[in-house]
């Protein structure tokens, strides 16, 4: 993409309403625009990152064997009355009536809707296990929306639901989700720690929140410092292997890690003092096992091999897709702007022409642009007739991981400058080597 043809309404000054880094940089980088309190329009740059996060989530769900669906945003209140949650959910639920006077709601979550889908089409244990998921917009009428996409009213969420014949099978689904979530977050350049948490209005006793450590996090968290060194890396996981998934889940949940709601001072004090850590955390996902809470009340049953009809065991599993943009920025930025991890960056590489209109510099930039595009990457070429300082400031603000700078002086020596946004280190090399270097970095992802 050529920047002269792109819609990138960057701001030089910090917006007064933005109180945290991610909100400030998302507004300044032209990623979002507030439509009303807690509701945002997604502009081109923000939408590209949102779609990259969505892609990674989809790929890891497919790897784990989960099946995508799409449910409506507006649901019937009758389903929620069946489960007993319609009156219990509270003021966060946006309630409405259609023209026929039927009570409706804008879905804050989808346990009832998916249970209704399941009971209409599944009757036998032979159709289990089954895990369905969607990536869909949700609405919760927050009493005090703030912090941009971190605490908005409308948000994009991945929500998945498993249906299993018994407790053991459902716990395997729980462990499978834990592993798939760990892989998902690592691909986004995040260290997301599973922490024992409170289930809230979803229900159930087994639940973990995935927390990204950040000073601006809303939750206080307590953990054993050893857990921050743990990574799955390139490990291949057989998601059908019950023992393997259980062992990974055990490895990640044995070290002490809890939110303030479930914190146990005695257990925490049993950790060696030098490993006891407290911080703030941003929730980016949560997994639940809630047994037959919904299948009992809504009649979601299957016939077993002995002819007995039993309620299925269920769990739900969410990832805050739009919230992840804010969390990534909170975890990866400096005083100049965003620092995108390669896995989610809106453009793979930026190209800056220091002397737009210079025949040799223009030709070199065009050649770089063509070579990167031909290699399957998407560069952002700043071809505007702007001063060099302004171009550098824009690139630093929007946070592309790599930048190639082209100027007449370097071209006389046959080199361009390749710069890492994360480290700030620059290396001079031939244009061909710069392209090869960038291509090799993304080939490893």
């Amino acid at each position: 993409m050529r920047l002269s043809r792109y819609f990138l309404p960057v701001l030089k000054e910090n917006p007064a309403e933005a109180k945290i880094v991610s909100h400030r940089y998302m507004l300044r980088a032209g990623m979002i625009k507030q439509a009303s309190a807690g509701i945002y329009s997604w502009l081109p740059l923000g939408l590209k990152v949102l779609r990259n996060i969505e892609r990674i989530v989809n790929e890891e769900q497919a790897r784990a064997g989960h099946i995508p669906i799409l449910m409506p945003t507006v649901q019937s209140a009758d389903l929620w009355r069946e489960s007993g949650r319609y009156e219990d959910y509270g003021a966060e639920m946006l309630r409405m009536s259609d023209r026929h006077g039927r009570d409706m709601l804008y879905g804050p979550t989808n346990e009832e809707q998916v249970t209704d889908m399941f009971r209409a089409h599944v009757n036998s244990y032979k159709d289990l296990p089954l895990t369905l998921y969607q990536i869909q917009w949700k609405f919760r009428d927050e009493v005090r929306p703030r912090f941009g996409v971190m605490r908005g009213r409308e948000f994009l969420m991945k929500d998945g639901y498993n249906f299993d014949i018994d407790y053991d099978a459902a716990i395997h689904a729980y462990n499978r989700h834990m592993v798939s979530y760990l892989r998902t977050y690592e691909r986004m350049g995040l260290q997301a720690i599973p922490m024992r948490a409170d289930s809230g209005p979803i229900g159930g006793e087994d639940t973990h929140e995935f927390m990204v450590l950040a000073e601006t996090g809303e939750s206080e968290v307590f953990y054993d410092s050893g857990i921050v060194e743990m990574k799955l890396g390139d490990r291949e996981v057989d998601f059908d292997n019950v023992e393997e998934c259980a062992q990974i889940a055990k490895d990640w949940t044995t070290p002490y890690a809890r939110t303030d709601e479930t914190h146990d001072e005695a257990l925490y004090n049993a950790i060696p003092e030098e490993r006891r850590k407290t911080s703030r955390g941003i929730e980016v996902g949560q997994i639940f096992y809630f047994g037959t809470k919904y299948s009992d009340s809504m009649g979601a049953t299957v016939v077993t091999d002995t002819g007995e009809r039993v309620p299925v065991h269920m769990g739900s599993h969410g990832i805050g897709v739009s919230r992840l943009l804010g969390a990534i920025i909170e975890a990866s930025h400096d005083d100049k702007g965003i620092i995108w991890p390669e896995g989610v960056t809106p453009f793979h590489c930026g190209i800056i022409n220091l002397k737009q209109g210079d025949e040799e510099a223009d030709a070199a930039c065009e050649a770089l642009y063509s070579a990167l595009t031909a290699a399957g990457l998407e560069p952002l070429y700043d071809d505007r007739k702007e001063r060099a300082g302004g171009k550098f400031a824009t690139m630093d603000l929007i946070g592309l991981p790599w930048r190639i700078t082209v100027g007449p002086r370097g071209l006389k020596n046959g080199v361009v400058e390749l710069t890492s946004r994360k480290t700030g280190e620059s290396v001079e090399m031939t244009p061909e080597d710069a392209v090869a270097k960038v291509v090799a970095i993304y080939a490893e992802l």
Side-chain angles (χ1 to χ4, degrees), residues 147-184:
F147 304 153
V149 301
M150 298 289 287
R151 186 63 110 172
R153 293 195 294 165
E154 184 183 58
F155 53 95
L156 188 63
M157 180 177 173
K158 174 264 165 181
D159 51 313
Y161 307 90
N162 66 282
F163 301 87
D164 290 279
I165 191 64
D166 55 25
Y167 172 82
D168 289 341
I171 290 301
H172 174 53
Y174 188 94
N175 294 336
R176 192 173 66 240
H177 276 86
M178 181 168 289
V179 176
S180 70
Y181 278 24
L182 291 170
R183 288 183 57 95
T184 298

Side-chain angles (χ1 to χ4, degrees), residues 197-261:
D198 181 69
S199 62
I202 301 295
E205 297 181 358
D206 292 291
T207 180
H208 282 83
E209 287 180 348
F210 290 81
M211 308 293 287
V212 173
L213 302 180
E215 293 180 1
T216 52
E218 289 190 277
S219 300
E220 186 176 15
V221 297
F222 304 81
Y223 62 97
D224 182 331
S225 62
I227 199 169
V228 301
E229 305 299 326
M230 297 173 63
K231 291 188 181 299
L232 282 178
D234 296 330
R235 175 176 176 176
E236 287 295 326
V237 178
D238 179 359
F239 285 96
D240 291 325
N241 188 316
V242 173
E243 291 75 18
E244 183 178 11
C245 291
Q247 185 60 54
I248 295 173
K250 181 179 179 181
D251 291 344
W252 282 83
T253 57
T254 297
Y256 189 90
R258 296 196 177 199
T259 63
D260 54 354
E261 297 166 317

Side-chain angles (χ1 to χ4, degrees), residues 5 49 76 96 101 108-109 134 158 162 192 226 230 288 293-294 303 306 318 320 325 333-334 341 397 412 437:
R5 301 178 186 175
V49 181
S76 168
M96 65 194 87
T109 183
Q134 66 171 355
K158 174 264 165 181
N162 66 282
M230 297 173 63
F288 303 84
K293 172 181 171 67
Y294 297 94
V303 177
T306 63
L325 273 84
H333 68 273
D334 60 18
L397 175 62
K412 287 180 180 179
K437 173 71 173 177

